Amino acid sequence: MDKIQHKFIQVGGLNLHVAEIGTGSKVVMVLHGFPEIWYSWRYQMIALADAGFRVIVPDYRGFGLSDVPPEPEKTTSKDLIDDLIGILDSLEIAKVVVIGKDYGVRPAYMLPLLHPERILGVVTLGVPFVPPGASNFNNLPEGFYICRWQEPGRAEADFGRFDAKAVVRSIYIQFSGSELPIAAENQEVLDVVDSSTPLPCWFTEEDVAEYGALYQKSGFQTALQVVYRSLHESFDVKELLVKVPALLIMGDKDYVLKFPGMEDYIKSGQAKHFVPKLETVHLPEGSHFVQEQSPDEVNQLLLTFLNTHIWT
């Protein structure tokens, strides 16, 4: 961890935090989900750098150590994608492989569609490519966390009862399970987990403290807006065809597989309609946080993909 460098890059009037390690022309840009942050990729950063790659991991605008935009309630995925291109331009990086997890899958796949000249390959964890605007979040229970957090003000009130560390703790415990996190009619999402519930064995109190400090700084308003309230955002893309090599790492105990139609979409190969060069690897014991739960296994999959499909 001591080898990881931290810098701030000004893009669009905001100072965006970037964690970086490694040198050379083989560059990987890694994108976090929620409630994750640059720190979520600590194991991958070190392993990839040790193998000869340069790794850059931004905090999105309004997340962690990056500046909160003046109007977080108006933040869009397109803003984040523009920020990522601005970071690459500032660092004078022409081409990268992009790795995305959870919400990070959206910008990871929109980058080769909007900026195909900049992207050599895509790896996603936990979520496949889903076309923008697709109705993949329909037919979900009212108490499902996505439905609840799309409602302006509800999550803010729920989260506001606790400090950032407690919010992250509750979400990590719920999201590491194999069932959809669903609150009862008169229950808030963060109350689904009892405060005495232990953390997953691979996630420590020190990890919770790191996450808590980062979200204490940024708050959750931008995250709630761009992750949950911009899900149906449309993009001006002429052809939804990702032509670069791609890898999906999917934990078989990831609750995302319980989304209506998701398991069939992945296992039937429908995702290859949009990503013809997609390879899918299933981790039998993998949860939604496979990169933290099973870092050695994930690191080897990443290195194999990069050395076989990108830089041979």
Side-chain angles (χ1 to χ4, degrees):
M1 292 286 286
D2 292 341
K3 297 179 181 179
I4 296 175
Q5 300 179 342
H6 299 269
K7 62 182 64 174
F8 289 88
I9 297 174
Q10 189 168 87
V11 180
L14 299 174
N15 287 314
L16 303 180
H17 169 251
V18 176
E20 182 175 5
I21 187 171
T23 59
S25 60
K26 298 186 293 185
V27 186
V28 178
M29 180 169 64
V30 192
L31 308 178
H32 63 81
F34 177 79
E36 297 162 302
I37 207 71
W38 78 264
Y39 180 81
S40 310
W41 298 102
R42 57 201 179 279
Y43 302 121
Q44 287 68 47
M45 293 181 74
I46 294 169
L48 291 174
D50 287 345
F53 296 92
R54 180 183 179 187
V55 188
I56 57 173
V57 187
D59 285 344
Y60 306 131
R61 60 167 64 194
F63 288 72
L65 298 176
S66 290
D67 283 352
V68 176
E71 298 179 289
E73 71 279 2
K74 295 183 179 179
T75 304
T76 66
S77 294
K78 184 63 164 56
D79 292 330
L80 270 56
I81 292 165
D82 290 343
D83 290 345
L84 296 172
I85 292 296
I87 289 171
L88 294 179
D89 288 344
S90 179
L91 295 175
E92 299 183 341
I93 297 172
K95 295 177 182 290
V96 298
V97 170
V98 62
I99 300 173
K101 158 77 170 52
D102 187 70
Y103 167 77
V105 171
R106 168 166 280 197
Y109 266 122
M110 293 312 302
L111 279 166
L113 290 171
L114 295 170
H115 303 277
E117 74 285 357
R118 307 297 293 268
I119 307 301
L120 296 169
V122 178
V123 181
T124 66
L125 287 74
V127 182
F129 174 79
V130 177
S135 57
N136 55 305
F137 297 109
N138 292 341
N139 303 315
L140 290 166
E142 181 277 334
F144 187 46
Y145 75 97
I146 289 179
C147 301
R148 290 284 183 87
W149 293 351
Q150 285 180 333
E151 180 183 339
R154 181 142 192 184
E156 287 86 341
D158 186 10
F159 291 14
R161 298 174 297 149
F162 308 98
D163 62 22
K165 182 177 174 180
V167 172
V168 171
R169 173 189 292 274
S170 177
I171 296 174
Y172 249 81
I173 291 171
Q174 291 190 57
F175 286 19
S176 62
S178 59
E179 299 299 324
L180 293 176
I182 299 173
E185 183 177 355
N186 297 315
Q187 182 184 44
E188 295 303 323
V189 172
L190 295 189
D191 292 331
V192 171
V193 172
D194 185 272
S195 60
S196 63
T197 304
L199 291 167
C201 62
W202 41 265
F203 197 64
T204 69
E205 291 293 343
E206 290 75 17
D207 294 330
V208 177
E210 289 283 349
Y211 279 83
L214 290 166
Y215 276 102
Q216 189 67 40
K217 186 267 179 189
S218 66
F220 296 99
Q221 189 175 6
T222 310
L224 290 166
Q225 168 61 30
V226 76
V227 176
Y228 300 103
R229 297 166 191 167
S230 301
L231 284 175
H232 299 293
E233 179 181 348
S234 60
F235 297 83
D236 185 18
V237 179
K238 295 180 180 179
E239 183 181 34
L240 290 174
L241 187 67
V242 178
K243 300 178 181 179
V244 296
L247 171 67
L248 168 63
I249 301 173
M250 195 73 214
D252 283 341
K253 294 186 177 180
D254 190 329
Y255 74 89
V256 170
L257 289 173
K258 299 292 178 64
F259 280 45
M262 182 63 78
E263 186 168 13
D264 180 63
Y265 179 75
I266 294 172
K267 293 187 175 180
S268 69
Q270 293 178 54
K272 295 192 72 170
H273 175 75
F274 303 100
V275 192
K277 297 181 181 179
L278 176 67
E279 174 187 354
T280 301
V281 176
H282 292 269
L283 302 183
E285 298 301 317
S287 72
H288 191 57
F289 301 101
V290 288
Q291 86 280 16
E292 294 178 277
Q293 175 191 12
S294 304
D296 292 342
E297 196 169 2
V298 169
N299 293 345
Q300 188 54 58
L301 290 171
L302 295 176
L303 290 171
T304 299
F305 175 80
L306 294 171
N307 290 321
T308 302
H309 297 286
I310 310 300
W311 291 287
T312 57

